[in-house]
Each structure stands twice: as C-alpha cells, then as structure tokens.
Amino acid sequence: MPEMTFRVRWPDGKETDCYSPSLVIRDHFTPGQDYPVREFLEKADTVLTQASERVRARYGFSCSRALGQLHAIRQASAPFLNRPDARVRVLSFRS
C-alpha cells in the first residue's frame, strides 16, 4: 500500500510529521488549510482508522503504526482542546 507522511503545525508552532499507511489522507485534509483542533482530531481519527482498516482488508491485520500515530495526535491535541481559537495547519503531504 502506498504510505504517506503529512506535516502539521500545532497551535504552539511546533511542527510534526504524521504517518498514514494509505493515501486516503488526501480525501480528508488539504495542505495549507487550518482546522480547529477538535475538527482535526475527529478527521485524524476517521482517516487513520480507515487507513488501518484498509491494511486489515489487504493483509489480515490492522496497522499498528497508524493507530500509534492516532494516539500521538490525541496526545498532542490534548493541551489545545479547551482553546476554541486553536488551529492545526496541515502543511504538506509526502509520499
């Protein structure tokens, strides 16, 4: 399956690379777009769970790396969840 990395900038200015085992990420995020933290988290949950399920359908097991990435995104999002003005910017995709 084609893997993809997407780079994000958190509300505190930190940038991180995130992993997806599938290109499905492009169906949910747009480079250069800002997302409220809660929306970003919901979309990340949807897309990384979906990507993991695509791996399961093809190989018979879920993608632990995608689920680990989702866990990391949840942790990174936590400090900003009570800030309604906080946004995450999707900077780029790299496959």
Coordinates of all heavy atoms in Angstrom, one line a residue:
M1 N 0.8 -1.2 0.0 CA 0.0 0.0 0.0 C 0.9 1.2 0.0 O 1.9 1.3 0.7 CB -0.9 0.0 1.2 CG -1.9 -1.1 1.3 SD -3.1 -0.9 2.6 CE -4.2 0.2 1.8
P2 N 0.5 2.3 -0.7 CA 1.3 3.5 -0.7 C 1.2 4.2 0.6 O 0.1 4.5 1.1 CB 0.7 4.3 -1.8 CG -0.7 3.8 -2.0 CD -0.7 2.4 -1.6
E3 N 2.3 4.5 1.2 CA 2.3 5.2 2.5 C 2.4 6.7 2.2 O 2.8 7.2 1.2 CB 3.5 4.9 3.3 CG 3.6 3.4 3.7 CD 4.9 3.1 4.4 OE1 5.9 3.6 4.0 OE2 4.8 2.3 5.3
M4 N 2.0 7.5 3.2 CA 2.1 9.0 3.1 C 2.4 9.6 4.5 O 2.0 9.1 5.5 CB 0.7 9.5 2.6 CG 0.7 11.0 2.6 SD -0.7 11.6 1.7 CE 0.0 11.5 0.0
T5 N 3.2 10.6 4.4 CA 3.5 11.4 5.6 C 2.8 12.8 5.4 O 2.9 13.3 4.3 CB 5.0 11.6 5.7 OG1 5.6 10.3 5.9 CG2 5.4 12.4 7.0
F6 N 2.2 13.3 6.4 CA 1.7 14.6 6.3 C 2.2 15.4 7.5 O 2.3 15.0 8.6 CB 0.1 14.6 6.3 CG -0.6 13.9 7.5 CD1 -1.2 14.7 8.4 CD2 -0.6 12.5 7.6 CE1 -1.9 14.1 9.5 CE2 -1.3 11.9 8.6 CZ -1.9 12.7 9.6
R7 N 2.7 16.6 7.2 CA 3.3 17.5 8.1 C 2.3 18.5 8.6 O 1.5 19.1 7.9 CB 4.5 18.2 7.5 CG 5.3 19.0 8.5 CD 6.7 19.3 8.0 NE 7.5 19.9 9.0 CZ 8.2 19.3 9.9 NH1 8.2 18.0 10.0 NH2 9.0 19.9 10.8
V8 N 2.2 18.7 10.0 CA 1.3 19.6 10.6 C 2.0 20.6 11.5 O 3.1 20.3 12.0 CB 0.2 18.8 11.4 CG1 -0.6 17.9 10.5 CG2 0.7 18.1 12.6
R9 N 1.4 21.7 11.7 CA 1.8 22.7 12.6 C 0.8 22.9 13.7 O -0.4 23.2 13.4 CB 2.1 24.1 12.0 CG 2.6 25.1 13.0 CD 2.9 26.5 12.4 NE 3.8 26.4 11.3 CZ 3.6 26.9 10.0 NH1 2.5 27.6 9.8 NH2 4.5 26.8 9.1
W10 N 1.2 22.7 15.0 CA 0.3 22.8 16.1 C 0.1 24.2 16.5 O 0.9 25.1 16.1 CB 0.8 21.9 17.2 CG 0.9 20.5 16.9 CD1 2.0 19.8 16.5 CD2 -0.2 19.6 16.8 NE1 1.6 18.5 16.2 CE2 0.3 18.3 16.4 CE3 -1.6 19.7 17.1 CZ2 -0.5 17.2 16.2 CZ3 -2.4 18.6 17.0 CH2 -1.9 17.3 16.5
P11 N -0.9 24.5 17.3 CA -1.2 25.9 17.7 C 0.0 26.6 18.4 O 0.1 27.8 18.4 CB -2.4 25.8 18.7 CG -3.1 24.5 18.2 CD -2.0 23.6 17.8
D12 N 0.9 25.8 19.0 CA 2.1 26.4 19.7 C 3.3 26.6 18.7 O 4.3 27.0 19.2 CB 2.5 25.5 20.9 CG 2.9 24.1 20.5 OD1 2.9 23.8 19.3 OD2 3.2 23.3 21.4
G13 N 3.1 26.3 17.4 CA 4.1 26.5 16.4 C 5.0 25.3 16.2 O 5.7 25.3 15.2
K14 N 4.9 24.2 17.0 CA 5.6 23.0 16.7 C 5.1 22.3 15.5 O 3.9 22.3 15.2 CB 5.6 22.1 17.9 CG 6.3 22.6 19.2 CD 6.2 21.6 20.3 CE 6.8 22.2 21.5 NZ 6.6 21.4 22.7
E15 N 6.1 21.8 14.7 CA 5.7 21.0 13.5 C 6.1 19.5 13.7 O 7.1 19.2 14.3 CB 6.4 21.6 12.3 CG 6.0 23.0 12.0 CD 6.6 23.5 10.7 OE1 7.3 22.8 10.0 OE2 6.4 24.7 10.5
T16 N 5.2 18.7 13.3 CA 5.5 17.2 13.3 C 5.1 16.6 12.0 O 4.2 17.0 11.3 CB 4.7 16.6 14.5 OG1 3.3 16.8 14.4 CG2 5.2 17.0 15.8
D17 N 5.8 15.5 11.8 CA 5.4 14.6 10.6 C 4.5 13.5 11.2 O 4.8 12.9 12.2 CB 6.6 14.0 10.0 CG 7.4 15.0 9.2 OD1 6.8 15.9 8.6 OD2 8.7 14.9 9.1
C18 N 3.4 13.3 10.5 CA 2.5 12.2 10.9 C 2.4 11.2 9.7 O 2.6 11.5 8.6 CB 1.1 12.8 11.1 SG 1.0 14.1 12.3
Y19 N 2.1 9.9 10.1 CA 2.2 8.8 9.2 C 0.8 8.3 8.9 O -0.1 8.2 9.8 CB 3.0 7.7 9.8 CG 2.9 6.4 9.1 CD1 3.7 6.2 8.0 CD2 2.0 5.4 9.5 CE1 3.6 5.0 7.3 CE2 1.9 4.2 8.8 CZ 2.7 4.0 7.7 OH 2.6 2.8 7.0
S20 N 0.6 7.9 7.6 CA -0.6 7.2 7.2 C -0.2 6.1 6.3 O 0.6 6.3 5.4 CB -1.6 8.2 6.4 OG -2.7 7.4 5.9
P21 N -0.8 4.9 6.5 CA -0.4 3.8 5.6 C -1.2 3.8 4.3 O -1.0 2.9 3.5 CB -0.8 2.6 6.4 CG -2.0 3.0 7.2 CD -1.6 4.5 7.6
S22 N -1.9 4.9 4.1 CA -2.8 4.9 2.9 C -2.8 6.4 2.4 O -2.7 7.3 3.2 CB -4.2 4.4 3.2 OG -5.1 4.8 2.2
L23 N -3.1 6.6 1.1 CA -3.2 7.9 0.5 C -4.6 8.5 0.9 O -4.9 9.6 0.5 CB -3.0 7.8 -1.0 CG -1.7 7.3 -1.5 CD1 -1.6 7.3 -3.0 CD2 -0.5 8.1 -0.9
V24 N -5.5 7.8 1.6 CA -6.8 8.2 1.9 C -6.7 9.6 2.7 O -7.7 10.3 2.7 CB -7.6 7.2 2.7 CG1 -7.0 7.0 4.1 CG2 -9.1 7.5 2.7
I25 N -5.6 9.9 3.2 CA -5.4 11.1 4.0 C -5.8 12.3 3.1 O -6.3 13.3 3.6 CB -4.0 11.2 4.6 CG1 -3.9 12.2 5.7 CG2 -3.0 11.5 3.5 CD1 -4.4 11.7 7.0
R26 N -5.5 12.2 1.8 CA -5.8 13.3 0.9 C -7.3 13.6 0.7 O -7.6 14.7 0.3 CB -5.2 13.0 -0.5 CG -3.7 12.9 -0.5 CD -3.1 12.7 -1.8 NE -3.6 11.5 -2.4 CZ -3.1 11.0 -3.5 NH1 -2.1 11.5 -4.1 NH2 -3.6 9.9 -4.0
D27 N -8.1 12.6 1.1 CA -9.5 12.8 1.0 C -10.1 13.6 2.1 O -11.3 14.0 2.1 CB -10.3 11.4 0.9 CG -9.9 10.7 -0.4 OD1 -9.4 11.3 -1.3 OD2 -10.1 9.4 -0.3
H28 N -9.3 13.8 3.2 CA -9.8 14.4 4.4 C -9.1 15.7 4.8 O -9.7 16.5 5.5 CB -9.7 13.4 5.6 CG -10.6 12.2 5.4 ND1 -11.8 12.1 5.8 CD2 -10.3 11.0 4.7 CE1 -12.4 11.0 5.5 NE2 -11.5 10.3 4.8
F29 N -7.9 15.9 4.3 CA -7.1 17.1 4.7 C -6.6 17.8 3.4 O -6.4 17.1 2.4 CB -5.9 16.7 5.5 CG -6.3 16.3 6.9 CD1 -6.0 15.0 7.3 CD2 -6.9 17.1 7.8 CE1 -6.3 14.6 8.6 CE2 -7.3 16.7 9.1 CZ -7.0 15.4 9.5
T30 N -6.4 19.1 3.5 CA -5.9 19.8 2.4 C -4.6 20.6 2.9 O -4.7 21.3 3.9 CB -6.9 20.9 1.9 OG1 -8.1 20.1 1.5 CG2 -6.4 21.7 0.7
P31 N -3.5 20.5 2.1 CA -2.3 21.2 2.5 C -2.6 22.7 2.5 O -3.3 23.2 1.6 CB -1.3 20.8 1.5 CG -1.7 19.5 1.0 CD -3.2 19.6 1.0
G32 N -2.1 23.4 3.5 CA -2.3 24.9 3.6 C -3.6 25.2 4.4 O -3.8 26.4 4.7
Q33 N -4.4 24.3 4.7 CA -5.6 24.5 5.4 C -5.5 24.4 6.9 O -4.7 23.6 7.4 CB -6.7 23.5 5.0 CG -8.0 23.6 5.6 CD -9.0 24.2 4.8 OE1 -8.9 24.4 3.6 NE2 -10.1 24.7 5.4
D34 N -6.1 25.3 7.6 CA -6.2 25.3 9.1 C -7.5 24.6 9.5 O -8.5 24.8 8.9 CB -6.2 26.7 9.7 CG -4.9 27.4 9.5 OD1 -3.8 26.8 9.4 OD2 -4.9 28.7 9.4
Y35 N -7.4 23.8 10.6 CA -8.5 23.1 11.1 C -8.6 23.4 12.6 O -7.6 23.3 13.3 CB -8.4 21.6 10.9 CG -8.3 21.2 9.5 CD1 -7.1 21.2 8.8 CD2 -9.4 20.9 8.8 CE1 -7.0 20.8 7.5 CE2 -9.4 20.5 7.4 CZ -8.2 20.5 6.8 OH -8.1 20.2 5.5
P36 N -9.8 23.7 13.2 CA -9.9 23.7 14.6 C -9.4 22.4 15.2 O -9.6 21.4 14.6 CB -11.4 23.9 14.8 CG -11.9 24.5 13.5 CD -11.1 23.9 12.5
V37 N -8.8 22.5 16.3 CA -8.2 21.3 16.9 C -9.1 20.1 17.0 O -8.8 19.0 16.6 CB -7.5 21.6 18.3 CG1 -7.0 20.3 19.0 CG2 -6.4 22.6 18.1
R38 N -10.3 20.4 17.5 CA -11.3 19.3 17.6 C -11.7 18.7 16.3 O -11.8 17.4 16.1 CB -12.6 19.7 18.3 CG -12.4 19.9 19.8 CD -13.7 20.2 20.5 NE -13.4 20.5 21.9 CZ -13.2 19.7 22.9 NH1 -13.2 18.4 22.6 NH2 -13.0 20.1 24.1
E39 N -11.8 19.5 15.3 CA -12.1 19.0 13.9 C -10.9 18.2 13.4 O -11.1 17.1 12.8 CB -12.4 20.2 13.0 CG -12.8 19.7 11.6 CD -13.0 20.9 10.6 OE1 -13.2 22.0 11.1 OE2 -13.0 20.6 9.4
F40 N -9.7 18.7 13.6 CA -8.5 18.0 13.1 C -8.5 16.6 13.8 O -8.2 15.6 13.1 CB -7.3 18.8 13.4 CG -6.0 18.0 13.1 CD1 -5.6 18.0 11.8 CD2 -5.3 17.4 14.0 CE1 -4.4 17.3 11.4 CE2 -4.1 16.7 13.7 CZ -3.7 16.6 12.4
L41 N -8.7 16.6 15.1 CA -8.7 15.3 15.8 C -9.8 14.3 15.3 O -9.5 13.2 15.1 CB -8.9 15.6 17.3 CG -8.8 14.4 18.2 CD1 -7.4 13.7 18.1 CD2 -8.9 14.9 19.7
E42 N -11.0 14.8 15.1 CA -12.0 14.0 14.5 C -11.7 13.4 13.1 O -11.9 12.2 12.9 CB -13.3 14.7 14.5 CG -13.9 15.0 15.8 CD -15.1 16.0 15.8 OE1 -15.6 16.3 14.6 OE2 -15.6 16.4 16.8
K43 N -11.2 14.3 12.3 CA -10.8 13.8 10.9 C -9.6 12.9 11.0 O -9.6 11.9 10.3 CB -10.4 15.0 10.1 CG -11.5 15.9 9.6 CD -11.0 17.1 8.8 CE -12.1 17.8 8.1 NZ -12.6 17.2 6.9
A44 N -8.6 13.1 11.9 CA -7.5 12.2 12.0 C -8.0 10.9 12.5 O -7.5 9.8 12.0 CB -6.5 12.8 13.0
D45 N -8.9 10.8 13.5 CA -9.4 9.6 14.0 C -10.1 8.8 12.8 O -9.8 7.6 12.6 CB -10.4 9.9 15.1 CG -10.9 8.6 15.7 OD1 -11.7 7.9 15.1 OD2 -10.5 8.3 16.9
T46 N -10.9 9.5 12.0 CA -11.6 8.9 10.9 C -10.6 8.3 9.9 O -10.7 7.1 9.5 CB -12.6 9.9 10.2 OG1 -13.6 10.3 11.2 CG2 -13.2 9.3 9.0
V47 N -9.7 9.1 9.5 CA -8.8 8.8 8.4 C -7.8 7.7 8.8 O -7.6 6.8 8.0 CB -8.1 10.0 7.8 CG1 -7.1 10.6 8.6 CG2 -7.6 9.7 6.4
L48 N -7.3 7.8 10.0 CA -6.3 6.8 10.4 C -6.9 5.5 10.7 O -6.3 4.4 10.5 CB -5.4 7.3 11.5 CG -4.5 8.4 11.1 CD1 -3.8 9.1 12.3 CD2 -3.4 7.9 10.1
T49 N -8.1 5.5 11.3 CA -8.9 4.2 11.5 C -9.2 3.6 10.1 O -9.0 2.4 10.0 CB -10.1 4.5 12.3 OG1 -9.7 5.1 13.6 CG2 -10.9 3.2 12.6
Q50 N -9.7 4.4 9.2 CA -10.0 3.9 7.9 C -8.7 3.4 7.2 O -8.8 2.3 6.6 CB -10.6 5.1 7.1 CG -11.1 4.7 5.7 CD -11.7 5.9 5.0 OE1 -11.1 6.9 4.8 NE2 -13.0 5.8 4.7
A51 N -7.6 4.0 7.3 CA -6.4 3.6 6.7 C -6.0 2.2 7.3 O -5.5 1.3 6.6 CB -5.3 4.6 6.8
S52 N -6.1 2.1 8.6 CA -5.7 0.9 9.3 C -6.6 -0.3 8.9 O -6.2 -1.4 8.7 CB -5.8 1.1 10.8 OG -5.5 -0.1 11.5
E53 N -7.9 0.0 8.6 CA -8.8 -1.0 8.2 C -8.5 -1.4 6.7 O -8.7 -2.6 6.4 CB -10.3 -0.5 8.3 CG -10.8 -0.5 9.7 CD -10.6 -1.8 10.5 OE1 -11.0 -2.8 9.9 OE2 -10.0 -1.8 11.6
R54 N -8.0 -0.5 5.9 CA -7.6 -0.9 4.6 C -6.4 -1.9 4.6 O -6.4 -2.8 3.8 CB -7.2 0.4 3.8 CG -8.4 1.2 3.3 CD -7.9 2.4 2.5 NE -9.1 3.1 2.0 CZ -9.0 3.9 1.0 NH1 -7.9 4.2 0.4 NH2 -10.1 4.6 0.6
V55 N -5.5 -1.6 5.6 CA -4.4 -2.6 5.8 C -5.0 -3.9 6.2 O -4.6 -5.0 5.7 CB -3.4 -2.0 6.8 CG1 -2.4 -3.1 7.2 CG2 -2.7 -0.8 6.3
R56 N -6.0 -3.9 7.1 CA -6.6 -5.2 7.6 C -7.2 -5.9 6.4 O -7.1 -7.1 6.3 CB -7.6 -4.9 8.7 CG -8.3 -6.2 9.2 CD -9.5 -5.9 10.1 NE -9.2 -5.0 11.2 CZ -8.6 -5.4 12.4 NH1 -8.2 -6.6 12.5 NH2 -8.4 -4.5 13.3
A57 N -7.9 -5.2 5.6 CA -8.6 -5.8 4.5 C -7.6 -6.5 3.5 O -7.9 -7.5 2.9 CB -9.5 -4.8 3.7
R58 N -6.5 -5.8 3.4 CA -5.5 -6.4 2.4 C -4.6 -7.4 3.0 O -4.2 -8.4 2.4 CB -4.6 -5.2 1.9 CG -3.7 -5.6 0.8 CD -3.2 -4.5 0.0 NE -2.3 -5.0 -1.0 CZ -1.8 -4.3 -1.9 NH1 -2.0 -3.0 -1.9 NH2 -1.0 -4.8 -2.8
Y59 N -4.2 -7.2 4.3 CA -3.1 -8.1 4.9 C -3.6 -9.0 6.0 O -2.9 -9.8 6.5 CB -1.9 -7.3 5.3 CG -1.3 -6.6 4.2 CD1 -1.4 -5.2 4.1 CD2 -0.5 -7.2 3.3 CE1 -0.8 -4.5 3.1 CE2 0.1 -6.6 2.2 CZ 0.0 -5.2 2.1 OH 0.6 -4.5 1.1
G60 N -4.9 -8.7 6.5 CA -5.4 -9.5 7.6 C -5.1 -9.0 9.0 O -5.5 -9.7 9.9
F61 N -4.5 -7.9 9.1 CA -4.2 -7.3 10.4 C -4.2 -5.8 10.3 O -3.9 -5.2 9.3 CB -2.9 -7.8 11.0 CG -1.7 -7.6 10.1 CD1 -1.0 -6.4 10.0 CD2 -1.3 -8.6 9.2 CE1 0.1 -6.2 9.1 CE2 -0.3 -8.4 8.3 CZ 0.4 -7.2 8.3
S62 N -4.6 -5.1 11.4 CA -4.6 -3.7 11.4 C -3.2 -3.1 11.4 O -2.3 -3.8 11.7 CB -5.4 -3.1 12.6 OG -4.8 -3.5 13.8
C63 N -3.1 -1.8 11.1 CA -1.8 -1.1 11.0 C -1.5 -0.5 12.4 O -2.1 0.5 12.7 CB -1.8 -0.1 9.9 SG -0.3 0.8 9.8
S64 N -0.7 -1.1 13.2 CA -0.4 -0.6 14.5 C 0.3 0.7 14.4 O 0.2 1.6 15.3 CB 0.5 -1.6 15.3 OG 1.7 -1.9 14.6
R65 N 1.1 1.0 13.3 CA 1.7 2.3 13.2 C 0.7 3.4 13.0 O 0.9 4.5 13.6 CB 2.7 2.2 12.0 CG 3.6 3.4 12.0 CD 4.7 3.3 11.0 NE 5.4 4.5 10.8 CZ 6.2 4.8 9.8 NH1 6.4 3.9 8.9 NH2 6.8 6.0 9.7
A66 N -0.3 3.2 12.2 CA -1.4 4.2 12.1 C -2.1 4.4 13.4 O -2.4 5.6 13.7 CB -2.4 3.7 11.0
L67 N -2.4 3.4 14.1 CA -3.1 3.5 15.4 C -2.2 4.2 16.4 O -2.6 5.0 17.2 CB -3.6 2.1 15.9 CG -4.6 1.5 14.9 CD1 -4.9 0.1 15.5 CD2 -5.8 2.3 14.8
G68 N -0.9 3.9 16.3 CA 0.1 4.6 17.2 C 0.1 6.1 16.8 O 0.3 7.0 17.7
Q69 N 0.1 6.4 15.5 CA 0.1 7.8 15.1 C -1.2 8.5 15.6 O -1.1 9.7 16.1 CB 0.1 7.9 13.6 CG 0.1 9.3 13.1 CD 1.4 10.1 13.6 OE1 2.5 9.8 13.1 NE2 1.2 11.1 14.5
L70 N -2.3 7.8 15.6 CA -3.6 8.4 16.1 C -3.4 8.7 17.6 O -3.8 9.8 18.1 CB -4.7 7.5 15.9 CG -6.1 7.9 16.4 CD1 -6.4 9.3 15.9 CD2 -7.2 6.9 16.0
H71 N -2.8 7.8 18.3 CA -2.6 8.0 19.8 C -1.7 9.3 20.0 O -2.0 10.1 20.9 CB -1.9 6.8 20.4 CG -1.6 6.9 21.8 ND1 -2.5 6.9 22.8 CD2 -0.4 7.1 22.5 CE1 -2.0 7.1 24.0 NE2 -0.6 7.2 23.8
A72 N -0.6 9.4 19.2 CA 0.3 10.6 19.3 C -0.5 11.9 19.0 O -0.3 12.9 19.6 CB 1.5 10.4 18.4
I73 N -1.3 11.8 18.0 CA -2.1 13.0 17.6 C -3.1 13.4 18.8 O -3.2 14.6 19.1 CB -2.9 12.8 16.3 CG1 -1.9 12.8 15.1 CG2 -4.0 13.8 16.1 CD1 -2.5 12.5 13.8
R74 N -3.7 12.4 19.4 CA -4.6 12.6 20.5 C -3.8 13.3 21.7 O -4.3 14.3 22.3 CB -5.2 11.3 21.0 CG -6.3 10.8 20.1 CD -6.9 9.5 20.6 NE -7.9 9.0 19.8 CZ -8.2 7.8 19.6 NH1 -7.5 6.8 20.2 NH2 -9.1 7.4 18.8
Q75 N -2.6 12.8 21.9 CA -1.8 13.4 23.0 C -1.4 14.8 22.7 O -1.4 15.7 23.5 CB -0.6 12.5 23.3 CG -0.9 11.3 24.0 CD 0.4 10.5 24.4 OE1 1.3 10.3 23.5 NE2 0.4 10.1 25.6
A76 N -1.0 15.1 21.4 CA -0.5 16.4 21.0 C -1.7 17.4 21.0 O -1.5 18.6 21.3 CB 0.1 16.3 19.6
S77 N -2.9 16.9 20.7 CA -4.1 17.8 20.7 C -4.6 18.2 22.1 O -5.2 19.2 22.2 CB -5.2 17.1 20.0 OG -4.9 16.8 18.6
A78 N -4.4 17.3 23.1 CA -5.0 17.5 24.4 C -4.8 18.9 25.0 O -5.7 19.4 25.5 CB -4.5 16.4 25.3
P79 N -3.6 19.5 24.9 CA -3.4 20.8 25.6 C -4.2 21.9 24.9 O -4.4 23.0 25.5 CB -1.9 21.1 25.4 CG -1.3 19.8 25.2 CD -2.3 19.0 24.5
F80 N -4.7 21.7 23.7 CA -5.4 22.7 23.0 C -6.9 22.5 22.9 O -7.6 23.4 22.3 CB -4.8 22.8 21.6 CG -3.3 22.9 21.5 CD1 -2.6 21.8 21.1 CD2 -2.7 24.0 22.0 CE1 -1.2 21.9 21.1 CE2 -1.3 24.1 21.9 CZ -0.6 23.0 21.5
L81 N -7.4 21.5 23.4 CA -8.9 21.1 23.3 C -9.8 22.2 23.9 O -10.9 22.4 23.4 CB -9.2 19.7 23.8 CG -8.6 18.6 22.9 CD1 -8.9 17.3 23.6 CD2 -9.2 18.6 21.5
N82 N -9.3 22.9 24.9 CA -10.2 23.9 25.6 C -10.0 25.3 25.0 O -10.5 26.2 25.6 CB -10.0 23.8 27.1 CG -10.6 22.5 27.7 OD1 -11.6 22.0 27.2 ND2 -9.9 22.0 28.6
R83 N -9.2 25.4 24.0 CA -9.0 26.7 23.3 C -9.7 26.7 22.0 O -9.3 26.2 21.0 CB -7.5 26.9 23.1 CG -6.7 27.1 24.4 CD -5.2 27.3 24.2 NE -4.9 28.1 23.0 CZ -3.7 28.1 22.4 NH1 -2.8 27.3 22.9 NH2 -3.5 28.9 21.4
P84 N -10.9 27.4 22.0 CA -11.7 27.4 20.8 C -11.0 28.0 19.6 O -11.4 27.7 18.4 CB -13.0 28.1 21.2 CG -12.7 28.8 22.4 CD -11.5 28.1 23.1
D85 N -10.0 28.9 19.8 CA -9.4 29.6 18.7 C -8.2 28.8 18.2 O -7.6 29.1 17.2 CB -8.9 30.9 19.2 CG -7.9 30.8 20.3 OD1 -8.0 29.9 21.2 OD2 -7.0 31.7 20.4
A86 N -7.8 27.7 18.9 CA -6.6 26.9 18.5 C -6.9 26.1 17.2 O -7.9 25.5 17.0 CB -6.3 25.9 19.6
R87 N -5.9 26.2 16.3 CA -6.0 25.6 15.0 C -4.7 24.8 14.7 O -3.6 25.1 15.1 CB -6.2 26.6 13.9 CG -7.5 27.4 14.1 CD -7.9 28.1 12.8 NE -9.2 28.7 12.9 CZ -10.4 28.1 12.8 NH1 -10.4 26.8 12.6 NH2 -11.5 28.8 12.8
V88 N -4.9 23.7 13.9 CA -3.8 22.9 13.4 C -3.8 23.1 11.9 O -4.8 23.1 11.2 CB -4.0 21.4 13.7 CG1 -2.9 20.6 13.1 CG2 -4.2 21.1 15.2
R89 N -2.6 23.4 11.4 CA -2.4 23.6 9.9 C -1.8 22.4 9.3 O -0.8 21.9 9.8 CB -1.6 24.8 9.6 CG -1.3 25.0 8.1 CD -0.7 26.3 7.8 NE -1.8 27.2 7.8 CZ -1.9 28.3 7.0 NH1 -0.9 28.5 6.1 NH2 -2.9 29.1 7.1
V90 N -2.4 21.9 8.3 CA -1.8 20.8 7.5 C -0.9 21.5 6.5 O -1.3 22.3 5.7 CB -2.8 19.9 6.8 CG1 -2.2 18.9 5.9 CG2 -3.7 19.2 7.8
L91 N 0.4 21.2 6.6 CA 1.4 21.9 5.8 C 1.7 21.3 4.5 O 1.8 21.9 3.4 CB 2.7 22.0 6.6 CG 2.7 22.9 7.9 CD1 4.0 22.7 8.7 CD2 2.4 24.3 7.6
S92 N 1.8 19.9 4.5 CA 2.2 19.2 3.2 C 1.9 17.8 3.3 O 1.7 17.2 4.4 CB 3.7 19.5 2.9 OG 4.5 18.9 4.0
F93 N 1.9 17.1 2.2 CA 1.9 15.7 2.0 C 3.2 15.2 1.4 O 3.7 15.9 0.5 CB 0.7 15.2 1.1 CG -0.7 15.5 1.6 CD1 -1.7 15.8 0.7 CD2 -1.0 15.5 3.0 CE1 -3.0 16.1 1.2 CE2 -2.2 15.7 3.4 CZ -3.2 16.0 2.5
R94 N 3.6 14.1 1.8 CA 4.8 13.5 1.1 C 4.6 12.0 1.0 O 4.3 11.3 2.0 CB 6.0 13.8 2.0 CG 7.3 13.5 1.3 CD 8.5 14.1 2.1 NE 8.6 13.4 3.4 CZ 8.6 13.9 4.6 NH1 8.4 15.2 4.7 NH2 8.7 13.2 5.7
S95 N 4.7 11.5 -0.2 CA 4.5 10.0 -0.3 C 5.8 9.3 -0.7 O 6.8 10.0 -0.9 CB 3.4 9.7 -1.3 OG 3.6 10.4 -2.5

